[in-house]
Amino acid sequence: MTKVIFLDAAGTLFDVRGSVGEVYEKLANSFGITVNSEDLNAAFSQSFASASPMAFPGRELAKITQLEFEWWQAVAAKAFQIAGVFNQFSDFAKFFAELYAHFATAEPWFVYPDVFPALNKWQQQGIELAVVSNFDSRIYAVLKALNLAEYFTSVTISTEVGAAKPDSQIFTAALQKHNCIAQNVLHIGDSFKADYCGAKNAELNAIWLNRQQEKVEAGKLLLTETKIEQCSSLDYLAF
């Protein structure tokens, strides 16, 4: 019986309007930088994929917000370097401070249309809801700005736990906030590796929210998996 549902954040509940490249380009233009949004989006994807997990094990909680800021600044700087326009900035630090603050608002995000109906349905059924995400501390402001915060009993993020999905430690930390055993918890997220495999390895039930209808190679399946539990929309989930 499902008593608690854990949900990933970006890519599951909400996502970037257009693309990261478009958001970066728009603000960069206001600083006099000319760059193609598609090139910048590809550069961002490359930079983000090569970055270390956004988690800071053993660090003091008071230092986390600064470490988050520095982590994202390095990712953004590398993206503009890959795109070949980093040297156009006269003050990249000022630009990035504005960019970072921008992503803590509702403006660059949209909520998927299937989200509010699903959250309302689950709440009416008495199911506890929680966010488990490889996000930074801005998640609290973003959830509030998008009118999502009131739905969730708890929020667990990688930067505060010191471990990022698919590491089971983040799921264990989230589970400790709820009076429930793992077998009664369902995790839903858009990443096959981080969300689906991570939750399964932590002995939680899991559904892969495969919004993009991606294919998974047989070699990447868990040894115990015969069938991937997945859906393309939260509309398909009913308990």
Side-chain angles (χ1 to χ4, degrees):
M1 177 181 178
T2 300
K3 294 184 177 181
V4 182
I5 295 178
F6 291 168
L7 290 138
D8 175 51
T12 299
L13 296 172
F14 56 84
D15 216 331
V16 176
R17 293 182 186 275
S19 70
V20 173
E22 290 175 33
V23 178
Y24 276 31
E25 178 199 33
K26 184 177 180 180
L27 188 57
N29 287 166
S30 70
F31 278 74
I33 310 301
T34 302
V35 60
N36 178 275
S37 63
E38 292 183 4
D39 292 342
L40 190 51
N41 196 60
F44 170 80
S45 296
Q46 183 179 337
S47 177
F48 185 82
S50 66
S52 59
M54 190 167 52
F56 314 106
R59 300 299 185 93
E60 297 176 25
L61 195 59
K63 296 180 179 179
I64 295 300
T65 54
Q66 181 60 32
L67 291 170
E68 292 170 342
F69 183 90
E70 292 170 356
W71 189 94
W72 276 111
Q73 186 173 32
V75 169
K78 186 174 180 179
F80 282 100
Q81 288 166 357
I82 294 171
V85 296
F86 181 80
N87 290 335
Q88 291 184 30
F89 286 97
S90 59
D91 190 347
F92 184 80
K94 182 180 179 181
F95 161 78
F96 180 74
E98 290 192 21
L99 181 69
Y100 193 77
H102 181 64
F103 275 96
T105 71
E107 188 174 344
W109 307 104
F110 73 93
V111 179
Y112 285 103
D114 57 352
V115 169
F116 284 114
L119 296 180
N120 285 318
K121 176 187 66 178
W122 293 329
Q123 270 200 340
Q124 291 167 6
Q125 293 174 339
I127 297 173
E128 285 188 37
L129 303 173
V131 170
V132 181
S133 174
N134 292 349
F135 213 95
D136 55 70
S137 300
R138 291 174 296 175
I139 187 67
Y140 302 104
V142 172
L143 290 174
K144 186 175 181 179
L146 296 176
N147 298 314
L148 289 167
E150 64 188 60
Y151 288 95
F152 299 103
T153 303
S154 71
V155 175
T156 303
I157 54 176
S158 59
T159 56
E160 293 177 352
V161 173
K165 294 181 292 184
D167 192 317
S168 62
Q169 185 179 338
I170 189 171
F171 295 102
T172 300
L175 192 60
Q176 290 172 348
K177 299 176 181 180
H178 298 265
N179 185 25
C180 187
I181 60 174
Q183 289 70 26
N184 290 339
V185 177
L186 171 67
H187 179 73
I188 303 170
D190 67 299
S191 169
F192 176 72
K193 180 180 178 181
D195 291 302
Y196 186 76
C197 295
K200 284 284 191 176
N201 286 334
E203 301 184 350
L204 275 67
N205 299 303
I207 292 177
W208 179 26
L209 183 58
N210 188 4
R211 293 191 182 279
Q212 307 304 320
Q213 294 292 284
E214 300 173 36
K215 301 294 183 182
V216 176
E217 298 174 17
K220 293 183 180 180
L221 297 178
L222 299 173
L223 294 177
T224 57
E225 283 287 318
T226 56
K227 179 183 178 182
I228 301 172
E229 297 175 77
Q230 62 177 301
C231 64
S232 59
S233 169
L234 295 178
D235 292 332
Y236 293 103
L237 300 179
F239 304 103

